[in-house]
């Protein structure tokens, strides 16, 4: 159960799922998702609940108790829990849709939920949960609210994550930087990267990754048109951001191999104390204390630069469930505040997607330790975090964008040409 791994695995799946839109999946009723579910009748019967790679010694007792609690509260109901392995999940969901066997209640990330909504396979929750905006974190709801489907919402935020910035205070101090005043913005980062480079004679680094979608968004650029149907991110602001990265790379503020296959990744370089900045989940310091206690003692956290990224898993309801009242009731039960907070106590590093959790000092207030600060920064950041990966963005698009960025950063083409090319290619792949 790891957001970075799970989300990377789902991106390629969109290409598998999107062609279903023209296949007549679900018969002629493409708008089954817009139905209104009766909630004033007694719950009875059974539904199937599907999770993604969560059946193990750690989480099975939780789900067993969750289901037993619901069934006790609603006599005469049965929740059948199934779990799918991590690999090939999107392909499995696609097969379930085509065969008419999509579970009644299903754990989906936003990209797969979008593909399912495209073929009318998921229930519009905006019409069926009157307290939706009051019950759940706005950033999580936004991830499941799709402009190209009339801003309907197709998932209840369940467990969420975001990034916090982490700094090596020893490296900062020896290079004339104040660890109590780390960078807050991209511009601050570049300025302090120059100081570290000059002070260390090019031996120490603050910046150690090439830009990507998150940097484009943090330039103030929207990735897609307002209707959510086309990519459109080659803006003057995005081009200026890429120009800044290019100049920093040329000046030696980033490792020379950051654009090559020998690049080990920001997190690895941070653990080797070759770079002074990395990002990670809110429990990073505790995790680091288990593997590298010496380094953990040197780490100080700060809020994520600019807009934090959002990593989110949600629970959706199948529009063609034969027992929609029970399916909707269980989806809401599984994602209510009490059950979400109980779940994330096991899923360390993640945060509940409920608005009520804001009142819980476990998430919103620090105990004064660096780890406590990081937990609070993560929760505060999640309130304004954004899912940078838009529906329909695939691995092929990301690979091409990275190639174009590398060409720009090595002076082989302008930033404008690189982003223009990436937009053109992404729209071609989107329409294929």
């Amino acid at each position: 159960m790891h957001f970075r791994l799970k989300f990377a695995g789902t991106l390629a799946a969109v290409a598998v799922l999107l062609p279903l839109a023209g296949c007549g999946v679900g018969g002629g009723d493409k708008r089954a998702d817009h139905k209104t579910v009766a909630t004033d009748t007694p719950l009875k019967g059974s539904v199937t609940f599907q999770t993604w790679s969560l059946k193990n010694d750690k989480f099975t007792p939780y789900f067993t108790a969750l289901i037993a609690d619901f069934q006790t509260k609603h006599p005469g109901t049965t929740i059948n829990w199934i779990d799918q392995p991590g690999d090939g999940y999107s392909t499995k969901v696609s097969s379930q849709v085509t065969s008419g066997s999509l579970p009644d209640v299903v754990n989906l990330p936003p990209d797969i939920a979008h593909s399912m909504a495209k073929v009318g396979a998921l229930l519009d929750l905006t019409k069926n949960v009157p307290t939706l905006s009051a019950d759940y974190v706005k950033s999580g709801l936004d991830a499941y609210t799709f402009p190209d489907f009339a801003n309907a919402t197709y998932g209840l935020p369940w467990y969420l994550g975001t990034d916090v910035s982490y700094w090596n205070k020893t490296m900062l101090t020896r290079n004339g930087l104040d660890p109590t005043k780390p960078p807050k913005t991209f511009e601050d980062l570049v300025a302090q990267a120059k100081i570290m480079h000059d002070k260390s004679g090019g031996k120490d680094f603050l910046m150690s990754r090439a830009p990507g979608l998150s940097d484009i968004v943090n330039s103030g650029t929207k990735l897609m048109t307002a209707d959510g149907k086309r990519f459109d991110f080659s803006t003057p602001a995005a081009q200026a951001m890429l120009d800044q990265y290019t100049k920093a790379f040329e000046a030696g503020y980033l490792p020379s191999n950051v654009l090559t296959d020998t690049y080990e990744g920001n997190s690895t370089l941070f653990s080797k104390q070759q770079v002074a900045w990395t990002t990670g989940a809110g429990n990073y310091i505790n995790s680091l204390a288990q593997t590298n206690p010496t380094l953990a003692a040197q780490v100080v956290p700060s809020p994520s630069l600019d807009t934090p990224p959002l990593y989110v898993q949600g629970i959706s309801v199948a529009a063609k469930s034969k027992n929609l009242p029970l399916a909707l009731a269980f989806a809401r039960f599984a994602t209510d505040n009490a059950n979400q907070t109980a779940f994330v106590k096991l899923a360390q590093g993640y945060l509940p997607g409920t608005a009520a959790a804001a009142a819980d000092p476990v998430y919103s207030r620090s105990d004064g330790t660096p780890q406590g600060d990081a937990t609070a920064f993560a929760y505060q950041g999640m309130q304004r975090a954004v899912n940078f990966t838009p529906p329909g963005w695939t691995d092929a698009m990301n690979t091409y964008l990275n190639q174009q960025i590398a060409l720009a950063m090595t002076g082989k083409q302008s930033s404008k040409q690189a982003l223009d090319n990436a937009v053109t290619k992404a729209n071609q792949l989107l329409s294929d």
Side-chain angles (χ1 to χ4, degrees):
M1 176 187 165
H2 193 291
F3 270 108
R4 306 245 180 226
L5 293 177
K6 290 178 84 169
F7 277 81
T10 63
L11 293 175
V14 180
V16 176
L17 293 166
L18 285 176
L20 297 175
C23 297
V25 175
D29 183 15
K30 283 290 192 69
R31 298 274 59 89
D33 56 322
H34 290 324
K35 64 180 66 172
T36 300
V37 179
T39 57
D40 56 353
T41 57
L43 299 177
K44 59 182 180 179
S46 65
V47 293
T48 298
F49 168 47
Q50 177 171 287
T51 54
W52 180 14
S53 191
L54 291 173
K55 194 168 191 176
N56 52 45
D57 292 343
K58 186 175 186 179
F59 294 108
T60 294
Y62 169 83
F63 287 110
T64 301
L66 176 78
I67 291 167
D69 186 21
F70 183 85
Q71 292 176 162
T72 298
K73 286 180 168 65
H74 303 284
T77 63
T78 300
I79 309 299
N80 299 304
W81 175 40
I82 61 174
D83 185 78
Q84 299 294 341
D87 294 339
Y89 186 62
S90 56
T91 302
K92 177 64 176 180
V93 172
S94 174
S95 174
Q96 289 171 329
V97 171
T98 56
S99 64
S101 60
L102 185 68
D104 305 270
V105 184
V106 57
N107 167 199
L108 298 174
D111 57 335
I112 301 182
H114 180 268
S115 298
M116 296 296 93
K118 187 179 181 72
V119 297
L122 301 181
L123 184 70
D124 175 3
L125 298 171
T126 313
K127 298 173 67 69
N128 288 288
V129 183
T131 58
L132 196 64
S133 60
D135 291 346
Y136 298 93
V137 172
K138 182 180 183 300
S139 59
L141 287 174
D142 286 348
Y144 289 92
T145 303
F146 306 128
D148 47 339
F149 302 140
N151 286 313
T153 302
Y154 291 94
L156 301 176
W158 185 22
Y159 61 96
L160 294 74
T162 189
D163 280 347
V164 172
S165 287
Y166 294 98
W167 312 89
N168 184 317
K169 61 184 177 183
T170 300
M171 290 182 69
L172 294 178
T173 301
R174 77 173 179 232
N175 287 294
L177 296 170
D178 186 348
T180 68
K181 298 178 181 178
K184 295 181 179 180
T185 66
F186 173 61
E187 287 72 19
D188 291 344
L189 180 69
V190 176
Q192 292 200 27
K194 179 183 186 308
I195 294 172
M196 178 167 285
H197 171 270
D198 294 350
K199 182 77 172 179
S200 69
K203 295 180 181 179
D204 291 340
F205 299 95
L206 197 60
M207 301 172 67
S208 62
R209 64 169 180 80
L213 282 183
S214 62
D215 301 276
I216 294 173
V217 175
N218 271 321
S219 74
T221 297
K222 293 187 180 300
L223 296 176
M224 303 192 81
T225 53
D227 60 8
K229 295 181 179 179
R230 303 287 291 173
F231 291 106
D232 186 24
F233 53 80
S234 185
T235 66
Q239 295 157 19
M241 175 277 299
L242 184 49
D243 283 339
Q244 283 183 283
Y245 259 101
T246 299
K247 291 176 183 176
F249 181 69
E250 291 173 346
Y253 303 164
L254 289 82
S256 59
N257 68 344
V258 73
L259 301 175
T260 72
D261 291 339
T262 61
Y263 172 59
E264 295 181 279
N266 168 259
S267 181
T268 298
L269 294 178
F270 185 82
S271 68
K272 291 183 175 182
Q273 301 192 57
Q274 295 175 12
V275 303
W277 170 56
T278 191
T279 58
N283 69 331
Y284 178 74
I285 295 176
N286 277 348
S287 297
L288 194 62
Q290 306 301 314
T291 58
N292 194 340
T294 302
L295 176 58
Q298 301 176 46
V299 174
V300 292
S302 74
S304 179
L305 298 186
D306 300 302
T307 301
L310 179 71
Y311 312 112
V312 54
Q313 288 287 336
I315 290 181
S316 300
V317 176
K320 299 205 171 182
S321 166
K322 291 182 171 60
N323 196 338
L324 275 170
L326 180 56
L328 181 61
F330 182 74
R332 295 186 66 180
F333 178 77
T335 59
D336 69 19
N337 188 61
N339 287 315
Q340 284 213 40
T341 53
F343 181 74
V344 298
K345 286 178 182 177
L346 297 173
Q348 295 181 358
Y350 301 109
L351 298 162
T354 59
D360 190 337
V362 168
Y363 308 108
S364 57
R365 298 178 210 164
S366 173
D367 61 6
T369 65
Q371 177 55 67
D373 290 345
T375 300
F377 290 147
Y379 188 80
Q380 294 159 10
M382 192 188 73
Q383 309 308 306
R384 59 188 181 87
V386 172
N387 178 23
F388 291 129
T389 305
W393 185 259
T394 67
D395 281 344
M397 295 175 188
N398 208 55
T399 297
Y400 189 81
L401 172 65
N402 291 340
Q403 292 170 347
Q404 295 303 305
I405 285 174
L407 290 172
M409 289 179 65
T410 52
K412 295 181 174 62
Q413 64 183 3
S414 69
S415 294
K416 182 179 187 305
Q417 189 62 61
L419 293 174
D420 283 350
N421 290 346
V423 167
T424 299
K425 183 68 171 181
N427 283 323
Q428 288 173 350
L429 292 170
L430 189 63
S431 61
D432 284 350

